[in-house]
């Protein structure tokens, strides 16, 4: 009973102590979530403490509190957990820069505490807790891990501390070194590199000095003083006004005359002022490079005392070095202040010398650059940029670049000088040496947000930079492109770049939700060259534009479609749009927005029209590029003609015209006819209002395309007298040559055997209009072709009345003239008409009158036609001989076009019909026609060969022509007899029989 009371009494304080330790552990792990540095290390310690807590609770629960080392365990845990908690709270509340700089000690303290806690846990008798063997093993493994733990600093933390140590030891006063170090610190502790943030963090860090001094941490306070002195060189830590106050406070205390160096400043070996003085084992000080050379030359004694020297005992003379640096800085400060007066000289040589000296000083040390700025040289230097002498401007640009590099304060000071940026921009357009310096300076200035905003506002600046981005000098081009990159932060600058044909950043913005509207609107307003359109497409402008017309608001959609319309005017772009499926969203856009937003519908229709034109352009290389694939698309698009305004109507008509005029588009033409397009076109062709004339012209052109597959017969039911009169009126009055050409083409393709159509046309005085076209000297080949083709219906041999009206209109001489000047198709139509005329010449030829009475009293007889053996004339009998058409027809036989040759043969064959064989053959022979016909036996066209055979078969019935031409015809005739078609072989055999090459009873017959 007494023993139990003693145990209970002992149990109460131990359990309370352990409970308090558990509470401290939990508090530590909670606080570890908020630490500002070494988060991973604190998280690892927290995980260890979390695993120890259950063990301690098990001790309390099972009252295993009578082991010998209990007090030691409680003492160690109480002390070390308290240390861990304090360290955790410190790392959660103190300045981040301070914590980073003390990172080594934090890691060391955390590691030592962790190991000590592990030793305390090992003293707990785990066997008394009746734990499973697995749990015992886990706790032992935990203790091992804690005992062997090694917390390391991150690479960036090591780099920061190494740079701080190096800067302090080397007394580095370089501003760029401090700027870079401050940025590196900011990145290491995870804060913004924005200037105000850096300054605020730096000010908090300086307040840590007071805390360190209050805690009497003299060593820590000294270290932080050194770090502050190093970082104060950074732009973000002190304002320019603060630097000016410090500078002029020191500057005004120096006087105006430089001081001579003290004797101790000189190196005994070189007799020059030392830069890096070191002290030897003899106690003497020398310039480092000089004493090292002394040793290299084999000397082992002191140059001054001649006592032996230990080469290993050499240390920097920091005190002397500091004195020399102070003396050097003092004199340099005075010299820089005094140089301004030289820049006011009237002598340019003196100014150039001063600028050269100033540039050398600025290149030497960052501190010199700061003094030049604080002495207010910048306005003077900027003023020199207005001089006409490039020899002065170039070094000024170099000095300004050196001053501005890595200093936001200087950049802003330069920009604050009146017309400074404008003066620098002017140098961009000068000779390459100066422009190279100017673009490098502007690039440096553009790294500052405030100055960057000003550069783009200078008139012509972006255009000049874009021009330099393609400069032959690689560095100039690189700097210019990087400058454009920096200036692209403003949308207005990006638009100016695009207007200067530099589209890189505009293309990037088109995919940005924030600025795509302004970009696409700006692009829609630009006048683009073909090169612009091509390069925009190559750089991927299509995808964002198509996305905009499907997902943007109305304003964005309108601009996007307008841009697509502009870009699609280049055929290669149009072809690419078709291949990339742009037609589908454009059609959808047209269907859904045409009624509510007519302007949008108009732009979409124009774009679709451009795609159709592209598909039929030479860039397609003759490869069909399908545009409207389904019957539904064809029907829906054509149906809009009757449902939309005139502008969209016009574009849709032009779209179908572009698609249908391709010779291979037979399927498209057939589908339009099937879809009742003809009645709609007929109706549109009859429009006369001024605003609809363009629509009428496009309707006529499309109708003409639909008549091109020999299907004119199916269209006749829609062609009445009114429509024909409309076509004639168009031919007479239209100012559009292409519309008149199409109207003539329609007439030429209507069935020739429809006498009603021909009569209507005659009644409408069509012949006189056609004659006018053929005699006004038009150079439009297709117009002439269609006009001559139309004449074929008025010259049919079955209606002499129509022929006579055509002949009386003077048609025949005009046709003969066209045999020598027209296209192959024109010649074909001419020859057909002449053949039709010639077929009636024999019956129209007037017999030669014979006179009664005395010959001496009778008038001489009229000369007769050698072929028709009567009195012929061009107008009365349509005689080819009188029209002097035989020679031109023979010359047509040499045309490479088969159709023209066949028609010429047809016309010539009319001269050798029946009893006219002898006389007609003579006329043809005299015109060298038989030779030309023989040459046609070697044609690649079987039809042409067969027609030539028919004529020769008749001509070679005559002995005279067999003797004259038989030998030249024999070889091609034999070749046809051997290799010709089934119908040509017997025909060739008969001709060969005429030539006595084959017997008349040959099997060839």
């Amino acid at each position: 009973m007494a023993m139990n009371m003693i145990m209970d009494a002992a149990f109460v304080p131990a359990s309370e102590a352990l409970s308090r330790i558990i509470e401290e552990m939990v508090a530590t792990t909670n606080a570890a979530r908020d630490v500002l540095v070494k988060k991973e290390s604190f998280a690892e310690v927290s995980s260890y403490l979390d695993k120890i807590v259950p063990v301690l609770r098990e001790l309390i629960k099972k009252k295993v509190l009578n082991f010998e080392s209990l007090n030691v365990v409680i003492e160690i845990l109480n002390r070390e957990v308290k240390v861990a908690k304090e360290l955790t709270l410190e790392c959660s509340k103190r300045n981040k820069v301070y914590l980073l700089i003390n990172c080594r000690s934090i890691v060391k303290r955390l590691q030592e505490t962790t190991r000590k806690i592990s030793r305390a846990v090992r003293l707990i008798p785990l066997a008394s807790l009746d734990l499973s063997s697995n749990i015992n093993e886990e706790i032992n493994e935990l203790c091992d891990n804690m005992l062997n733990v090694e917390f390391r600093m991150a690479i960036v933390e090591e780099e920061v501390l190494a740079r701080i140590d190096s800067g302090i030891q080397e007394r580095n006063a370089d501003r760029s070194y401090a700027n870079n170090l401050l940025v590196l610190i900011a990145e290491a502790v995870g804060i913004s590199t924005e200037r105000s943030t850096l300054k605020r963090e730096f000010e908090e860090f300086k307040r840590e000095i007071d805390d360190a001094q209050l805690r009497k941490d003299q060593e820590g306070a000294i270290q932080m003083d050194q770090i502050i002195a190093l970082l104060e060189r950074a732009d973000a830590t002190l304002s320019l006004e603060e630097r000016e106050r410090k500078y002029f406070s020191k500057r005004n205390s120096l006087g105006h005359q430089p001081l001579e160096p003290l004797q101790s400043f000189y190196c005994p070996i070189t007799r020059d002022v030392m830069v890096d003085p070191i002290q030897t084992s003899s106690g003497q000080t020398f310039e480092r490079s000089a004493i090292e050379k002394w040793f290299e030359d084999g000397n082992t004694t002191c140059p001054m005392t001649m006592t032996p020297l230990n080469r290993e005992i050499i240390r920097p003379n920091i005190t002397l070095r500091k004195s020399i640096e102070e003396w050097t800085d003092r004199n340099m400060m005075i010299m820089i202040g005094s140089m301004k007066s030289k820049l006011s000289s009237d002598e340019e040589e003196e100014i150039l010398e001063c600028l050269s000296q100033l540039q050398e000083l600025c290149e030497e040390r960052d501190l010199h650059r700061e003094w030049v700025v604080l002495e207010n040289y910048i306005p003077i230097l900027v003023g020199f940029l207005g001089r006409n002498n490039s020899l002065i401007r170039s070094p000024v640009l170099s000095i300004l670049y050196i001053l501005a590099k890595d200093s936001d304060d200087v950049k802003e000071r330069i920009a604050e000088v009146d017309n400074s940026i404008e003066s620098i921009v002017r140098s961009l357009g000068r000779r390459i040496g100066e422009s190279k310096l100017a673009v490098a300076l502007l690039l440096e200035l553009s790294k500052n947000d405030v100055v960057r905003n000003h550069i783009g506002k200078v008139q012509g600046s972006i255009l000049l930079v874009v021009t330099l981005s393609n400069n032959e000098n690689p560095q100039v081009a690189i700097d210019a492109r990087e400058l454009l990159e920096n200036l692209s932060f403003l949308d207005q600058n990006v638009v100016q770049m695009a207007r200067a044909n530099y589209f890189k950043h505009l293309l990037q913005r088109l995919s940005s939700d924030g600025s795509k509207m302004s970009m696409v609107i700006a692009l829609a307003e630009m006048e683009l060259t073909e090169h612009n359109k091509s390069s925009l497409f190559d750089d991927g402008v299509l995808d964002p534009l198509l996305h905009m017309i499907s997902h943007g608001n109305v304003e964005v959609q309108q601009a996007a479609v307008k841009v697509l319309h502009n870009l699609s005017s280049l055929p290669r772009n149009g072809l690419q749009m078709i291949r990339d499926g742009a037609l589908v969203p454009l059609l959808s856009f047209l269907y859904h927005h045409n009624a509510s937003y007519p302007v949008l519908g108009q732009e979409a229709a124009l774009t679709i029209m451009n795609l159709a034109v592209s598909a039929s352009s030479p860039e397609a290389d003759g490869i069909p590029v399908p545009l409207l694939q389904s019957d539904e698309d064809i029907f829906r698009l054509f149906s809009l003609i009757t449902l939309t305004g005139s502008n969209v109507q016009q574009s849709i008509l032009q779209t179908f015209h572009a698609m249908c005029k391709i010779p291979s588009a037979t399927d498209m033409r057939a589908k339009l006819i099937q879809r009742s397009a003809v009645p709609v076109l007929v109706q549109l062709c009859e429009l006369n209002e001024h605003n609809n004339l363009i629509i009428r012209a496009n309707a006529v052109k499309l109708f003409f395309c639909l008549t091109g597959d020999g299907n004119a017969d199916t269209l006749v039911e829609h062609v009445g007298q009114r429509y024909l009169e409309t076509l004639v009126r168009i031919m007479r009055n239209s100012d559009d040559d292409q519309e008149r050409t199409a109207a003539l083409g329609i007439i030429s393709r209507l069935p020739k055997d429809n006498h009603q159509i021909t009569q209507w046309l005659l009644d409408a005085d069509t012949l006189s209009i056609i004659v006018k076209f053929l005699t006004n000297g038009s150079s439009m080949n297709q117009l002439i072709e269609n006009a001559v083709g139309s004449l074929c219906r008025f010259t049919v041999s079955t209606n002499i009345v129509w022929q006579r009206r055509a002949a009386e209109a003077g048609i025949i001489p005009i046709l003969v003239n066209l045999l020598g000047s027209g296209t192959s198709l024109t010649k074909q139509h001419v020859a057909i008409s002449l053949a039709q005329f010639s077929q009636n010449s024999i019956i129209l030829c007037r017999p030669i009158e014979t006179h009664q009475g005395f010959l001496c009293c009778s008038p001489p007889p009229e000369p007769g036609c050698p072929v028709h053996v009567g009195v012929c004339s061009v107008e009365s009998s349509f005689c080819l001989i009188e029209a002097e058409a035989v020679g031109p027809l023979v010359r047509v036989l040499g045309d490479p076009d088969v159709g023209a040759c066949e028609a010429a043969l047809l016309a010539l064959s009319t001269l050798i019909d029946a009893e006219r064989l002898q006389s007609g053959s003579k006329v043809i022979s005299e015109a060298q026609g038989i030779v030309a016909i023989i040459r046609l036996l070697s044609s690649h066209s079987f039809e042409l060969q067969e027609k030539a055979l028919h004529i020769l078969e008749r001509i070679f019935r005559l002995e005279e022509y067999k003797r004259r031409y038989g030998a030249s015809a024999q070889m091609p005739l034999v070749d046809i007899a051997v290799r010709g078609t089934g119908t040509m072989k017997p025909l060739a055999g008969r001709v060969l029989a005429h030539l006595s090459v084959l017997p008349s009873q040959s099997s060839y017959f």
Side-chain angles (χ1 to χ4, degrees), residues 21-39:
I21 291 171
I22 290 172
E23 289 174 2
E24 291 294 290
M25 285 182 172
V26 172
T28 303
T29 57
N30 290 334
R33 299 189 188 101
D34 300 323
V35 293
L36 302 174
V37 293
K38 306 309 299 177
K39 292 179 180 292

Side-chain angles (χ1 to χ4, degrees), residues 842-857:
I842 188 65
I843 62 174
L844 295 174
C845 175
R846 182 167 53 84
I848 299 174
E849 295 182 5
T850 57
H851 298 282
Q852 302 292 327
F854 298 102
L855 291 176
C856 60
C857 299

Side-chain angles (χ1 to χ4, degrees), residues 36-42 96-97 99-104 106-107 151-165 181 184-185 187-190:
L36 302 174
V37 293
K38 306 309 299 177
K39 292 179 180 292
E40 296 82 1
S41 300
F42 278 98
K96 292 180 179 180
V97 178
L99 294 173
L100 175 64
I101 291 169
N102 288 279
C103 211
R104 287 193 185 113
I106 292 171
V107 167
F151 296 124
R152 299 183 181 278
M153 293 174 58
I155 295 174
V156 67
E157 294 167 344
E158 293 279 11
E159 184 180 356
V160 167
L161 296 183
R163 288 201 183 185
I164 289 174
D165 292 343
L181 178 56
L184 187 63
I185 290 172
E187 292 172 349
V189 299

Side-chain angles (χ1 to χ4, degrees), residues 799-820:
N799 195 315
I800 295 176
V801 174
W802 295 347
Q803 285 187 326
R804 185 163 280 130
R805 288 187 63 174
E808 290 171 353
I811 286 296
I812 294 176
I814 296 172
L815 294 178
V816 174
N817 184 57
L818 288 172
L819 285 174

